[in-house]
Amino acid sequence: MFTPHTPENVTKRLGFLCAFGACTGVSLGPLLGAVADIQPSIIPTAFLGSCAIFGSLSLAALYAERRSMLFLGGFLISGLNMLVMMLFFNIFLGSYMVFQLDVYGGLILFCGFVLFDTQLIVERFNNGDDDYVRHSLDLFLDFINIFRRLLVILASKVCLLL
């Protein structure tokens, strides 16, 4: 994101995006391993659920009235800040309820980010910003956060049944 968007930097920026994606995949490894130990079928279920959520919300944002979701930006950033502060305090509290609030609240929050980011990308493109690497990063982060939270939710539900 800090490398200027110029034709000379496209390969470097795509390389950074691929490296970021690889690091994200590596950081998902322990969670995927833990979930696979519980029940391996959770992983494709969470992936397909994330695809369905992401795809349907992206389509909803694309077909909604132009700029109708951009008002969500302030609420979403405020909610994200509250989640981060809550998680910081939960380091000392160790509350299961705060953890659950983070998982479910974060899922709702990142669903809102899919709506917001999709419309923001369309609006930026209409205003001449064709930085597809940055736009890809925004949507990638939304998808990964939804996927992580769905993994945790499904794994916790299966653990309750066992």
Side-chain angles (χ1 to χ4, degrees):
M1 288 181 62
F2 297 111
T3 313
H5 175 60
T6 59
E8 302 86 41
N9 286 338
V10 169
T11 13
K12 182 182 357 176
R13 295 180 84 225
L14 284 172
F16 286 150
L17 180 64
C18 289
F20 180 76
C23 290
T24 303
V26 167
S27 73
L28 268 176
L31 177 61
L32 290 172
V35 170
D37 288 342
I38 296 169
Q39 187 173 353
S41 66
I42 293 173
I43 297 170
T45 304
F47 180 74
L48 291 175
S50 300
C51 289
I53 290 170
F54 186 84
S56 61
L57 290 175
S58 290
L59 285 173
L62 288 172
Y63 284 109
E65 184 179 333
R66 187 172 171 187
R67 295 183 299 222
S68 64
M69 305 286 178
L70 295 183
F71 76 96
L72 292 173
F75 297 114
L76 294 171
I77 295 297
S78 297
L80 190 61
N81 285 332
M82 286 182 5
L83 276 179
V84 168
M85 285 190 296
M86 220 174 33
L87 286 175
F88 175 74
F89 289 121
N90 200 35
I91 292 172
F92 305 108
L93 298 174
S95 169
Y96 181 70
M97 188 174 102
V98 173
F99 172 74
Q100 291 288 60
L101 185 61
D102 168 59
V103 172
Y104 287 99
L107 180 62
I108 293 168
L109 193 70
F110 282 103
C111 287
F113 268 115
V114 171
L115 292 168
F116 174 74
D117 285 341
T118 302
Q119 282 207 338
L120 187 62
I121 288 168
V122 168
E123 198 56 36
R124 283 180 177 167
F125 182 78
N126 288 336
N127 290 329
D129 181 10
D130 63 345
D131 187 5
Y132 57 88
V133 176
R134 181 170 191 258
H135 300 160
S136 301
L137 179 64
D138 290 341
L139 294 176
F140 176 72
L141 287 172
D142 295 342
F143 181 83
I144 287 298
N145 281 303
I146 290 172
F147 178 64
R148 281 184 179 160
R149 282 168 170 76
L150 277 181
L151 274 175
V152 171
I153 290 169
L154 293 174
S156 67
K157 295 298 179 188
V158 169
C159 283
L160 289 176
L161 293 175
L162 296 178

